[in-house]
Each structure stands twice: as C-alpha cells, then as structure tokens.
Amino acid sequence: MKISVQLLITGEEQEPLPLFLAEAARILEQRGIAGVWAAEHVVAFSDYDPKYSYPYSDDGRPPAQLSQAGLVEPLTVLTALALHSTTLRLGTGIAILPQRNPVYFAKTAAALDLLSNGRFIAGIGLGWSGQEYAATNTPFERRGARLNDYIQVIRTLWEDPVSEYHGEFYDLPACIHLPKPVQRPHPPLYFGGESIPAMRRVARFGQGWFAMRMTPDILRPKLAALQDLLAEHGRSPTDVDIVASPGDRECNADMIASFAELGVSEVVVPIFANSVDAFRRDADLIQSGLVEPSTHF
C-alpha cells in the first residue's frame, strides 16, 4: 500500500514558490510518501453556475480553493518537484484533457517523464465545470467522446515512430514526435471519474483508476462494476491500479486497512499547507498516522 498526497499549489505560499516546492519534495521523500498528485483548474469563478454541480461536495458547490484562488499549472508544478526528488511518483490529479491541445499535452508530459527518469503518471479526467470549458473555448457537450479521441492522439505520439490519427475531434497528420517518454510503451494512464462511462474508459484504456472522495463502503460496489467492465475488454482487476482518495474526509489506519482489503494500491490525502513549516507538520502526521501503518498491508 502506497500513501501519496494531492497538492493544491496556488502561488500564494508564504515562501517563494521555487523554495516551497523544493522543500516539499524533500520533506515528502524523507517521510516515505510515495507520490504527489497535482490538481488542475485553469481559471476560477467568483460565482459558479449551479447547473454545473461540483461532484465532490454535498451541496454541489466547489471548495473555496477553487473560487478564491487559482492553481499553478500542474505539469509545471510536477516538473519542479521532479528536479528536487528521486523517488516521488508524479501524477496529474487530474488533468482536464478535453480542454487541452493533446499534442502539446503529449509533448510536455514526455518532457516531464524524461526529467523525472520515468516517474510521471498521466492522471486524466473530464472536469465538471461548463464555465471552465467555455473559458477555454471548448464545447462541454460530448466531452467524453472528445477525450477518447485525445487519448488516441497522445498514445500514438508517445508510442509510434510515425504518429497519425484521424478521428471525429482531432485530425493528426503523419508526423514524428521526439523525444519519446522514458516509460514504455507510454506513461501510465490513470482516469478520474466515478460514473459508469468513466469506469468504462478505465477498462478500455487505463492502467489505473483515481477514485476521488471515496470511503471503502462507497468504493466496494464501484469496484464490482469496474470488474465487470474490465471483463468486457478481456482484462482482469490485476491489470488496473486502484488509487483512492477520501478527499476532505478523515483518513486513519483503519480506513487504510479497509482500502487494502479491497485491493487499493494507493491512498491519496490532501495537503493544504501554504508554508514550509506547516507542510512539514502535515507530512509528519501523514507519516505517523498513515505511512507507518500502511507498511503492514
């Protein structure tokens, strides 16, 4: 069982951001924390449209971090962490791929995989904010089908000597994309989302599933559904890593044990600290409360 953290880096940390990220990388590695997942939202809104419900809160409204502060672009954050670490796994948690150009995502992600010597995880999802899609001039409708096309684009760019793809949402002419990522055939694809279409995408394309705001009781029936979807694609549960995050719910050793019984390979907890001292204190608590117990599973 691995214990990792999700970071919401706003650029408003008390120390200069280069220093904060360098110290954060060292602190996490010293405490045996396995990885970092960096969240993405390209813009924020002071007044969210209620028709786009935030899926991870009881009232459908996003947390203050998303309405009162921005987030530093996640691949940039992970690149900085890569240069100050040697073992941390570095995941986008989650990159909203339909809002991005897939060729540039593939290019930047390949560079991060090279700079980290093969530690990048492509955490990918749809997002939930139609307003954010509008700000990126991307249609909100059929975003799932767009994502499926974009996955094929980035895979051919990462894998093939000559890359080419022709789909409904993207037309990639024959081209050569170099350098390739370190990881072969490509960096692992972990998908976010808890709906049946999201889990179907995991079954079809994924090496992992990032299940947000989960408790073991909520996760159990979803894993049964995922197993059925994997079977439809001739795959087994052992083909997919299960990454679970309880979000803002309290996580303790008992929850870790319950996740382990379900076959979860990694549990992710948030760190909201905005100073090095506070970050160190939070990491100490994660080490004693979660990392040390996790060694028994």
Side-chain angles (χ1 to χ4, degrees):
M1 169 74 73
K2 295 185 285 288
I3 305 298
S4 297
V5 298
Q6 185 177 46
L7 301 185
L8 302 177
I9 301 299
T10 67
E12 297 182 354
E13 288 70 24
Q14 293 181 17
E15 291 82 10
L17 190 54
L19 172 62
F20 180 88
L21 292 174
E23 289 300 313
R26 297 186 187 102
I27 288 166
L28 294 173
E29 285 199 330
Q30 289 167 359
R31 285 150 183 80
I33 292 168
V36 170
W37 296 83
E40 171 171 60
H41 282 288
V42 67
V43 290
F45 302 92
S46 57
D47 185 19
Y48 277 85
D49 189 332
K51 75 179 180 181
Y52 301 116
S53 177
Y54 181 70
Y56 304 118
S57 68
D58 295 333
D59 63 2
R61 291 191 60 81
Q65 289 92 340
L66 300 184
S67 57
Q68 298 175 5
L71 296 177
V72 178
E73 196 281 322
L75 290 165
T76 306
V77 168
L78 295 174
T79 299
L81 292 168
L83 300 179
H84 295 284
S85 62
T86 57
T87 62
L88 282 177
R89 301 165 78 241
L90 304 163
T92 45
I94 295 292
I96 307 172
L97 186 59
Q99 296 178 176
R100 289 172 168 262
N101 179 288
V103 176
Y104 269 96
F105 180 84
K107 188 71 172 181
T108 307
L112 173 53
D113 202 54
L114 287 163
L115 288 168
S116 65
N117 195 28
R119 290 182 280 137
F120 174 60
I121 300 168
I124 292 169
L126 289 178
W128 56 271
S129 172
Q131 289 167 283
E132 192 169 349
Y133 271 79
T136 60
N137 198 25
T138 309
F140 190 67
E141 296 73 20
R142 303 198 65 219
R143 60 196 184 281
R146 181 183 298 275
L147 174 57
N148 292 344
D149 259 15
Y150 285 11
I151 293 163
Q152 304 281 29
V153 173
I154 64 174
R155 283 178 54 179
T156 187
L157 290 165
W158 284 343
E159 295 181 40
D160 299 331
V162 178
S163 302
E164 186 172 5
Y165 181 76
H166 305 286
E168 179 181 358
F169 296 96
Y170 208 89
D171 194 60
L172 179 71
C175 59
I176 297 170
H177 174 253
L178 293 171
K180 302 296 187 188
V182 171
Q183 298 179 84
R184 295 288 188 266
H186 55 73
L189 298 168
Y190 285 46
F191 292 96
E194 293 72 48
S195 67
I196 290 297
M199 289 191 286
R200 185 172 289 115
R201 194 169 292 112
V202 175
R204 180 182 175 189
F205 298 113
Q207 288 73 60
W209 177 36
F210 192 125
M212 275 293 298
R213 210 167 189 268
M214 287 284 169
T215 64
D217 288 343
I218 298 172
L219 182 62
R220 185 175 288 105
K222 293 183 178 294
L223 288 176
L226 177 61
Q227 184 171 346
D228 292 341
L229 293 168
L230 286 164
E232 291 177 9
H233 290 272
R235 306 179 71 194
S236 74
T238 58
D239 294 331
V240 173
D241 290 333
I242 306 299
V243 178
S245 173
D248 56 2
R249 296 181 171 99
E250 181 183 358
C251 188
N252 54 34
D254 290 340
M255 183 180 284
I256 293 293
S258 296
F259 276 133
E261 291 175 0
L262 294 175
V264 172
S265 60
E266 182 175 354
V267 173
V268 181
V269 294
I271 289 185
F272 299 117
N274 68 349
S275 72
V276 169
D277 287 343
F279 194 95
R280 186 179 293 108
R281 288 193 296 270
D282 286 352
D284 285 341
L285 292 173
I286 292 170
Q287 179 186 25
S288 61
L290 300 179
V291 175
E292 292 174 2
S294 74
T295 61
H296 301 298
F297 308 120

PDB file of all heavy atoms in Angstrom, residues 52 97-99 125-127 130 133 138-150 165 167-170 197 201 204:
ATOM      1  N   TYR A  52     -23.865  23.437 -13.201  1.00  0.00           N
ATOM      2  CA  TYR A  52     -22.682  22.588 -13.288  1.00  0.00           C
ATOM      3  C   TYR A  52     -22.290  22.193 -11.863  1.00  0.00           C
ATOM      4  O   TYR A  52     -21.468  22.831 -11.224  1.00  0.00           O
ATOM      5  CB  TYR A  52     -21.534  23.317 -13.976  1.00  0.00           C
ATOM      6  CG  TYR A  52     -21.880  23.778 -15.372  1.00  0.00           C
ATOM      7  CD1 TYR A  52     -21.921  25.132 -15.675  1.00  0.00           C
ATOM      8  CD2 TYR A  52     -22.167  22.857 -16.379  1.00  0.00           C
ATOM      9  CE1 TYR A  52     -22.241  25.554 -16.964  1.00  0.00           C
ATOM     10  CE2 TYR A  52     -22.490  23.280 -17.663  1.00  0.00           C
ATOM     11  CZ  TYR A  52     -22.524  24.630 -17.942  1.00  0.00           C
ATOM     12  OH  TYR A  52     -22.849  25.049 -19.205  1.00  0.00           O
ATOM     13  N   LEU A  97      -8.100  16.846 -19.802  1.00  0.00           N
ATOM     14  CA  LEU A  97      -7.534  16.722 -21.136  1.00  0.00           C
ATOM     15  C   LEU A  97      -8.409  17.301 -22.250  1.00  0.00           C
ATOM     16  O   LEU A  97      -7.872  17.892 -23.196  1.00  0.00           O
ATOM     17  CB  LEU A  97      -7.207  15.249 -21.434  1.00  0.00           C
ATOM     18  CG  LEU A  97      -6.480  14.988 -22.757  1.00  0.00           C
ATOM     19  CD1 LEU A  97      -5.156  15.740 -22.819  1.00  0.00           C
ATOM     20  CD2 LEU A  97      -6.262  13.498 -22.971  1.00  0.00           C
ATOM     21  N   PRO A  98      -9.747  17.194 -22.220  1.00  0.00           N
ATOM     22  CA  PRO A  98     -10.516  17.761 -23.335  1.00  0.00           C
ATOM     23  C   PRO A  98     -10.349  19.267 -23.493  1.00  0.00           C
ATOM     24  O   PRO A  98     -10.636  19.806 -24.570  1.00  0.00           O
ATOM     25  CB  PRO A  98     -11.970  17.407 -22.982  1.00  0.00           C
ATOM     26  CG  PRO A  98     -11.865  16.220 -22.099  1.00  0.00           C
ATOM     27  CD  PRO A  98     -10.611  16.431 -21.295  1.00  0.00           C
ATOM     28  N   GLN A  99      -9.932  19.971 -22.438  1.00  0.00           N
ATOM     29  CA  GLN A  99      -9.719  21.414 -22.526  1.00  0.00           C
ATOM     30  C   GLN A  99      -8.342  21.761 -23.093  1.00  0.00           C
ATOM     31  O   GLN A  99      -8.061  22.935 -23.352  1.00  0.00           O
ATOM     32  CB  GLN A  99      -9.853  22.054 -21.134  1.00  0.00           C
ATOM     33  CG  GLN A  99     -11.231  21.940 -20.538  1.00  0.00           C
ATOM     34  CD  GLN A  99     -11.343  22.535 -19.148  1.00  0.00           C
ATOM     35  OE1 GLN A  99     -12.422  22.579 -18.587  1.00  0.00           O
ATOM     36  NE2 GLN A  99     -10.241  22.986 -18.577  1.00  0.00           N
ATOM     37  N   GLY A 125      -8.932  13.341 -16.727  1.00  0.00           N
ATOM     38  CA  GLY A 125     -10.366  13.316 -16.487  1.00  0.00           C
ATOM     39  C   GLY A 125     -11.089  14.333 -17.333  1.00  0.00           C
ATOM     40  O   GLY A 125     -10.482  15.044 -18.155  1.00  0.00           O
ATOM     41  N   LEU A 126     -12.406  14.410 -17.112  1.00  0.00           N
ATOM     42  CA  LEU A 126     -13.266  15.287 -17.909  1.00  0.00           C
ATOM     43  C   LEU A 126     -13.464  16.659 -17.290  1.00  0.00           C
ATOM     44  O   LEU A 126     -13.805  17.610 -17.982  1.00  0.00           O
ATOM     45  CB  LEU A 126     -14.646  14.640 -18.080  1.00  0.00           C
ATOM     46  CG  LEU A 126     -14.735  13.426 -18.985  1.00  0.00           C
ATOM     47  CD1 LEU A 126     -16.160  12.894 -18.984  1.00  0.00           C
ATOM     48  CD2 LEU A 126     -14.319  13.788 -20.399  1.00  0.00           C
ATOM     49  N   GLY A 127     -13.293  16.776 -15.967  1.00  0.00           N
ATOM     50  CA  GLY A 127     -13.712  18.002 -15.313  1.00  0.00           C
ATOM     51  C   GLY A 127     -15.226  18.055 -15.201  1.00  0.00           C
ATOM     52  O   GLY A 127     -15.948  17.176 -15.675  1.00  0.00           O
ATOM     53  N   GLY A 130     -18.760  23.547 -16.742  1.00  0.00           N
ATOM     54  CA  GLY A 130     -19.035  24.053 -18.076  1.00  0.00           C
ATOM     55  C   GLY A 130     -18.489  25.452 -18.289  1.00  0.00           C
ATOM     56  O   GLY A 130     -18.138  25.826 -19.411  1.00  0.00           O
ATOM     57  N   TYR A 133     -14.921  25.120 -19.352  1.00  0.00           N
ATOM     58  CA  TYR A 133     -14.863  24.738 -20.760  1.00  0.00           C
ATOM     59  C   TYR A 133     -15.099  25.959 -21.650  1.00  0.00           C
ATOM     60  O   TYR A 133     -14.420  26.146 -22.668  1.00  0.00           O
ATOM     61  CB  TYR A 133     -15.903  23.654 -21.059  1.00  0.00           C
ATOM     62  CG  TYR A 133     -15.392  22.248 -20.848  1.00  0.00           C
ATOM     63  CD1 TYR A 133     -15.309  21.696 -19.569  1.00  0.00           C
ATOM     64  CD2 TYR A 133     -14.989  21.463 -21.929  1.00  0.00           C
ATOM     65  CE1 TYR A 133     -14.844  20.403 -19.377  1.00  0.00           C
ATOM     66  CE2 TYR A 133     -14.528  20.173 -21.747  1.00  0.00           C
ATOM     67  CZ  TYR A 133     -14.453  19.639 -20.471  1.00  0.00           C
ATOM     68  OH  TYR A 133     -13.984  18.367 -20.281  1.00  0.00           O
ATOM     69  N   THR A 138     -13.950  25.478 -25.465  1.00  0.00           N
ATOM     70  CA  THR A 138     -14.110  24.053 -25.744  1.00  0.00           C
ATOM     71  C   THR A 138     -15.561  23.662 -25.488  1.00  0.00           C
ATOM     72  O   THR A 138     -16.102  23.986 -24.426  1.00  0.00           O
ATOM     73  CB  THR A 138     -13.198  23.205 -24.832  1.00  0.00           C
ATOM     74  OG1 THR A 138     -11.866  23.701 -24.900  1.00  0.00           O
ATOM     75  CG2 THR A 138     -13.223  21.753 -25.266  1.00  0.00           C
ATOM     76  N   PRO A 139     -16.211  22.953 -26.399  1.00  0.00           N
ATOM     77  CA  PRO A 139     -17.587  22.525 -26.137  1.00  0.00           C
ATOM     78  C   PRO A 139     -17.664  21.595 -24.931  1.00  0.00           C
ATOM     79  O   PRO A 139     -16.858  20.666 -24.792  1.00  0.00           O
ATOM     80  CB  PRO A 139     -17.982  21.791 -27.422  1.00  0.00           C
ATOM     81  CG  PRO A 139     -17.059  22.308 -28.472  1.00  0.00           C
ATOM     82  CD  PRO A 139     -15.768  22.603 -27.766  1.00  0.00           C
ATOM     83  N   PHE A 140     -18.609  21.855 -24.057  1.00  0.00           N
ATOM     84  CA  PHE A 140     -18.831  20.997 -22.885  1.00  0.00           C
ATOM     85  C   PHE A 140     -19.529  19.704 -23.291  1.00  0.00           C
ATOM     86  O   PHE A 140     -19.279  18.643 -22.722  1.00  0.00           O
ATOM     87  CB  PHE A 140     -19.667  21.766 -21.857  1.00  0.00           C
ATOM     88  CG  PHE A 140     -19.782  21.107 -20.516  1.00  0.00           C
ATOM     89  CD1 PHE A 140     -18.671  20.963 -19.695  1.00  0.00           C
ATOM     90  CD2 PHE A 140     -21.010  20.651 -20.062  1.00  0.00           C
ATOM     91  CE1 PHE A 140     -18.776  20.361 -18.445  1.00  0.00           C
ATOM     92  CE2 PHE A 140     -21.135  20.054 -18.816  1.00  0.00           C
ATOM     93  CZ  PHE A 140     -20.014  19.901 -17.995  1.00  0.00           C
ATOM     94  N   GLU A 141     -20.397  19.793 -24.280  1.00  0.00           N
ATOM     95  CA  GLU A 141     -21.135  18.629 -24.743  1.00  0.00           C
ATOM     96  C   GLU A 141     -20.173  17.648 -25.424  1.00  0.00           C
ATOM     97  O   GLU A 141     -19.241  18.049 -26.111  1.00  0.00           O
ATOM     98  CB  GLU A 141     -22.238  19.033 -25.721  1.00  0.00           C
ATOM     99  CG  GLU A 141     -23.327  19.905 -25.115  1.00  0.00           C
ATOM    100  CD  GLU A 141     -22.875  21.335 -24.833  1.00  0.00           C
ATOM    101  OE1 GLU A 141     -21.857  21.782 -25.448  1.00  0.00           O
ATOM    102  OE2 GLU A 141     -23.516  22.001 -24.016  1.00  0.00           O
ATOM    103  N   ARG A 142     -20.438  16.371 -25.223  1.00  0.00           N
ATOM    104  CA  ARG A 142     -19.678  15.267 -25.819  1.00  0.00           C
ATOM    105  C   ARG A 142     -18.200  15.331 -25.443  1.00  0.00           C
ATOM    106  O   ARG A 142     -17.319  14.900 -26.200  1.00  0.00           O
ATOM    107  CB  ARG A 142     -19.859  15.231 -27.334  1.00  0.00           C
ATOM    108  CG  ARG A 142     -21.322  15.121 -27.779  1.00  0.00           C
ATOM    109  CD  ARG A 142     -21.436  14.661 -29.216  1.00  0.00           C
ATOM    110  NE  ARG A 142     -20.943  13.313 -29.368  1.00  0.00           N
ATOM    111  CZ  ARG A 142     -20.220  12.889 -30.422  1.00  0.00           C
ATOM    112  NH1 ARG A 142     -19.911  13.729 -31.390  1.00  0.00           N
ATOM    113  NH2 ARG A 142     -19.800  11.637 -30.492  1.00  0.00           N
ATOM    114  N   ARG A 143     -17.916  15.859 -24.288  1.00  0.00           N
ATOM    115  CA  ARG A 143     -16.526  15.937 -23.846  1.00  0.00           C
ATOM    116  C   ARG A 143     -15.918  14.550 -23.627  1.00  0.00           C
ATOM    117  O   ARG A 143     -14.709  14.379 -23.774  1.00  0.00           O
ATOM    118  CB  ARG A 143     -16.417  16.788 -22.584  1.00  0.00           C
ATOM    119  CG  ARG A 143     -17.202  16.270 -21.389  1.00  0.00           C
ATOM    120  CD  ARG A 143     -17.350  17.373 -20.346  1.00  0.00           C
ATOM    121  NE  ARG A 143     -18.018  16.897 -19.125  1.00  0.00           N
ATOM    122  CZ  ARG A 143     -19.328  16.729 -19.004  1.00  0.00           C
ATOM    123  NH1 ARG A 143     -20.122  16.988 -20.041  1.00  0.00           N
ATOM    124  NH2 ARG A 143     -19.854  16.308 -17.872  1.00  0.00           N
ATOM    125  N   GLY A 144     -16.758  13.566 -23.292  1.00  0.00           N
ATOM    126  CA  GLY A 144     -16.237  12.218 -23.123  1.00  0.00           C
ATOM    127  C   GLY A 144     -15.738  11.635 -24.432  1.00  0.00           C
ATOM    128  O   GLY A 144     -14.661  11.021 -24.480  1.00  0.00           O
ATOM    129  N   ALA A 145     -16.490  11.821 -25.503  1.00  0.00           N
ATOM    130  CA  ALA A 145     -16.060  11.339 -26.814  1.00  0.00           C
ATOM    131  C   ALA A 145     -14.810  12.087 -27.279  1.00  0.00           C
ATOM    132  O   ALA A 145     -13.908  11.502 -27.896  1.00  0.00           O
ATOM    133  CB  ALA A 145     -17.189  11.511 -27.831  1.00  0.00           C
ATOM    134  N   ARG A 146     -14.736  13.380 -26.975  1.00  0.00           N
ATOM    135  CA  ARG A 146     -13.533  14.161 -27.308  1.00  0.00           C
ATOM    136  C   ARG A 146     -12.325  13.598 -26.557  1.00  0.00           C
ATOM    137  O   ARG A 146     -11.239  13.429 -27.137  1.00  0.00           O
ATOM    138  CB  ARG A 146     -13.752  15.632 -26.956  1.00  0.00           C
ATOM    139  CG  ARG A 146     -12.558  16.539 -27.288  1.00  0.00           C
ATOM    140  CD  ARG A 146     -12.843  17.975 -26.846  1.00  0.00           C
ATOM    141  NE  ARG A 146     -13.995  18.518 -27.548  1.00  0.00           N
ATOM    142  CZ  ARG A 146     -13.928  19.097 -28.751  1.00  0.00           C
ATOM    143  NH1 ARG A 146     -12.766  19.214 -29.367  1.00  0.00           N
ATOM    144  NH2 ARG A 146     -15.024  19.569 -29.311  1.00  0.00           N
ATOM    145  N   LEU A 147     -12.515  13.293 -25.287  1.00  0.00           N
ATOM    146  CA  LEU A 147     -11.417  12.740 -24.503  1.00  0.00           C
ATOM    147  C   LEU A 147     -10.926  11.424 -25.106  1.00  0.00           C
ATOM    148  O   LEU A 147      -9.712  11.186 -25.195  1.00  0.00           O
ATOM    149  CB  LEU A 147     -11.871  12.522 -23.053  1.00  0.00           C
ATOM    150  CG  LEU A 147     -10.881  11.822 -22.117  1.00  0.00           C
ATOM    151  CD1 LEU A 147      -9.564  12.563 -22.050  1.00  0.00           C
ATOM    152  CD2 LEU A 147     -11.483  11.679 -20.724  1.00  0.00           C
ATOM    153  N   ASN A 148     -11.838  10.572 -25.530  1.00  0.00           N
ATOM    154  CA  ASN A 148     -11.426   9.298 -26.118  1.00  0.00           C
ATOM    155  C   ASN A 148     -10.556   9.507 -27.352  1.00  0.00           C
ATOM    156  O   ASN A 148      -9.571   8.786 -27.559  1.00  0.00           O
ATOM    157  CB  ASN A 148     -12.659   8.462 -26.470  1.00  0.00           C
ATOM    158  CG  ASN A 148     -13.403   7.986 -25.233  1.00  0.00           C
ATOM    159  OD1 ASN A 148     -12.878   8.014 -24.121  1.00  0.00           O
ATOM    160  ND2 ASN A 148     -14.634   7.538 -25.433  1.00  0.00           N
ATOM    161  N   ASP A 149     -10.917  10.477 -28.181  1.00  0.00           N
ATOM    162  CA  ASP A 149     -10.079  10.790 -29.343  1.00  0.00           C
ATOM    163  C   ASP A 149      -8.704  11.296 -28.905  1.00  0.00           C
ATOM    164  O   ASP A 149      -7.673  10.895 -29.459  1.00  0.00           O
ATOM    165  CB  ASP A 149     -10.766  11.856 -30.200  1.00  0.00           C
ATOM    166  CG  ASP A 149     -11.451  11.273 -31.428  1.00  0.00           C
ATOM    167  OD1 ASP A 149     -11.641  10.040 -31.478  1.00  0.00           O
ATOM    168  OD2 ASP A 149     -11.808  12.050 -32.343  1.00  0.00           O
ATOM    169  N   TYR A 150      -8.687  12.185 -27.929  1.00  0.00           N
ATOM    170  CA  TYR A 150      -7.416  12.768 -27.493  1.00  0.00           C
ATOM    171  C   TYR A 150      -6.483  11.711 -26.900  1.00  0.00           C
ATOM    172  O   TYR A 150      -5.252  11.799 -27.029  1.00  0.00           O
ATOM    173  CB  TYR A 150      -7.677  13.881 -26.481  1.00  0.00           C
ATOM    174  CG  TYR A 150      -8.201  15.183 -27.074  1.00  0.00           C
ATOM    175  CD1 TYR A 150      -8.637  15.256 -28.388  1.00  0.00           C
ATOM    176  CD2 TYR A 150      -8.266  16.343 -26.303  1.00  0.00           C
ATOM    177  CE1 TYR A 150      -9.120  16.440 -28.920  1.00  0.00           C
ATOM    178  CE2 TYR A 150      -8.745  17.530 -26.827  1.00  0.00           C
ATOM    179  CZ  TYR A 150      -9.174  17.577 -28.136  1.00  0.00           C
ATOM    180  OH  TYR A 150      -9.646  18.751 -28.669  1.00  0.00           O
ATOM    181  N   TYR A 165      -3.336  10.046 -36.554  1.00  0.00           N
ATOM    182  CA  TYR A 165      -4.662   9.691 -36.042  1.00  0.00           C
ATOM    183  C   TYR A 165      -5.705  10.553 -36.739  1.00  0.00           C
ATOM    184  O   TYR A 165      -5.516  11.765 -36.915  1.00  0.00           O
ATOM    185  CB  TYR A 165      -4.759   9.898 -34.532  1.00  0.00           C
ATOM    186  CG  TYR A 165      -6.111   9.520 -33.978  1.00  0.00           C
ATOM    187  CD1 TYR A 165      -6.456   8.189 -33.811  1.00  0.00           C
ATOM    188  CD2 TYR A 165      -7.057  10.495 -33.680  1.00  0.00           C
ATOM    189  CE1 TYR A 165      -7.714   7.830 -33.336  1.00  0.00           C
ATOM    190  CE2 TYR A 165      -8.312  10.145 -33.199  1.00  0.00           C
ATOM    191  CZ  TYR A 165      -8.639   8.818 -33.039  1.00  0.00           C
ATOM    192  OH  TYR A 165      -9.873   8.456 -32.580  1.00  0.00           O
ATOM    193  N   GLY A 167      -9.748  11.185 -36.289  1.00  0.00           N
ATOM    194  CA  GLY A 167     -10.957  10.931 -35.528  1.00  0.00           C
ATOM    195  C   GLY A 167     -11.950  12.058 -35.683  1.00  0.00           C
ATOM    196  O   GLY A 167     -11.725  13.035 -36.415  1.00  0.00           O
ATOM    197  N   GLU A 168     -13.038  11.955 -34.955  1.00  0.00           N
ATOM    198  CA  GLU A 168     -14.093  12.966 -35.058  1.00  0.00           C
ATOM    199  C   GLU A 168     -13.631  14.309 -34.514  1.00  0.00           C
ATOM    200  O   GLU A 168     -13.995  15.369 -35.040  1.00  0.00           O
ATOM    201  CB  GLU A 168     -15.325  12.481 -34.282  1.00  0.00           C
ATOM    202  CG  GLU A 168     -16.480  13.468 -34.299  1.00  0.00           C
ATOM    203  CD  GLU A 168     -17.686  12.982 -33.517  1.00  0.00           C
ATOM    204  OE1 GLU A 168     -17.645  11.851 -32.981  1.00  0.00           O
ATOM    205  OE2 GLU A 168     -18.672  13.762 -33.418  1.00  0.00           O
ATOM    206  N   PHE A 169     -12.815  14.279 -33.457  1.00  0.00           N
ATOM    207  CA  PHE A 169     -12.461  15.517 -32.764  1.00  0.00           C
ATOM    208  C   PHE A 169     -11.017  15.956 -32.994  1.00  0.00           C
ATOM    209  O   PHE A 169     -10.644  17.052 -32.564  1.00  0.00           O
ATOM    210  CB  PHE A 169     -12.706  15.357 -31.264  1.00  0.00           C
ATOM    211  CG  PHE A 169     -14.148  15.143 -30.911  1.00  0.00           C
ATOM    212  CD1 PHE A 169     -14.642  13.854 -30.731  1.00  0.00           C
ATOM    213  CD2 PHE A 169     -15.015  16.208 -30.792  1.00  0.00           C
ATOM    214  CE1 PHE A 169     -15.975  13.651 -30.414  1.00  0.00           C
ATOM    215  CE2 PHE A 169     -16.352  16.019 -30.487  1.00  0.00           C
ATOM    216  CZ  PHE A 169     -16.834  14.731 -30.297  1.00  0.00           C
ATOM    217  N   TYR A 170     -10.225  15.107 -33.643  1.00  0.00           N
ATOM    218  CA  TYR A 170      -8.833  15.516 -33.887  1.00  0.00           C
ATOM    219  C   TYR A 170      -8.309  14.790 -35.107  1.00  0.00           C
ATOM    220  O   TYR A 170      -8.525  13.576 -35.275  1.00  0.00           O
ATOM    221  CB  TYR A 170      -7.934  15.218 -32.691  1.00  0.00           C
ATOM    222  CG  TYR A 170      -6.760  16.173 -32.607  1.00  0.00           C
ATOM    223  CD1 TYR A 170      -6.870  17.367 -31.905  1.00  0.00           C
ATOM    224  CD2 TYR A 170      -5.566  15.920 -33.274  1.00  0.00           C
ATOM    225  CE1 TYR A 170      -5.810  18.266 -31.844  1.00  0.00           C
ATOM    226  CE2 TYR A 170      -4.510  16.804 -33.225  1.00  0.00           C
ATOM    227  CZ  TYR A 170      -4.650  17.982 -32.508  1.00  0.00           C
ATOM    228  OH  TYR A 170      -3.610  18.890 -32.468  1.00  0.00           O
ATOM    229  N   PRO A 197     -19.604   5.559 -17.438  1.00  0.00           N
ATOM    230  CA  PRO A 197     -18.766   5.899 -18.595  1.00  0.00           C
ATOM    231  C   PRO A 197     -17.298   6.119 -18.217  1.00  0.00           C
ATOM    232  O   PRO A 197     -16.402   5.742 -18.978  1.00  0.00           O
ATOM    233  CB  PRO A 197     -19.418   7.179 -19.131  1.00  0.00           C
ATOM    234  CG  PRO A 197     -20.848   7.071 -18.722  1.00  0.00           C
ATOM    235  CD  PRO A 197     -20.816   6.418 -17.368  1.00  0.00           C
ATOM    236  N   ARG A 201     -14.062   3.859 -19.475  1.00  0.00           N
ATOM    237  CA  ARG A 201     -12.818   4.392 -20.045  1.00  0.00           C
ATOM    238  C   ARG A 201     -11.603   3.766 -19.361  1.00  0.00           C
ATOM    239  O   ARG A 201     -10.590   3.459 -20.019  1.00  0.00           O
ATOM    240  CB  ARG A 201     -12.817   5.927 -19.880  1.00  0.00           C
ATOM    241  CG  ARG A 201     -11.776   6.640 -20.698  1.00  0.00           C
ATOM    242  CD  ARG A 201     -12.020   8.146 -20.680  1.00  0.00           C
ATOM    243  NE  ARG A 201     -13.246   8.496 -21.405  1.00  0.00           N
ATOM    244  CZ  ARG A 201     -14.350   8.968 -20.843  1.00  0.00           C
ATOM    245  NH1 ARG A 201     -14.420   9.176 -19.536  1.00  0.00           N
ATOM    246  NH2 ARG A 201     -15.405   9.241 -21.580  1.00  0.00           N
ATOM    247  N   ARG A 204     -11.199   0.336 -20.813  1.00  0.00           N
ATOM    248  CA  ARG A 204     -10.758   0.317 -22.205  1.00  0.00           C
ATOM    249  C   ARG A 204      -9.307   0.760 -22.367  1.00  0.00           C
ATOM    250  O   ARG A 204      -8.535   0.127 -23.109  1.00  0.00           O
ATOM    251  CB  ARG A 204     -11.669   1.228 -23.035  1.00  0.00           C
ATOM    252  CG  ARG A 204     -11.314   1.297 -24.510  1.00  0.00           C
ATOM    253  CD  ARG A 204     -12.249   2.255 -25.240  1.00  0.00           C
ATOM    254  NE  ARG A 204     -11.860   2.426 -26.630  1.00  0.00           N
ATOM    255  CZ  ARG A 204     -12.397   3.335 -27.457  1.00  0.00           C
ATOM    256  NH1 ARG A 204     -13.363   4.138 -27.018  1.00  0.00           N
ATOM    257  NH2 ARG A 204     -11.977   3.436 -28.707  1.00  0.00           N
TER     258      ARG A 204
END
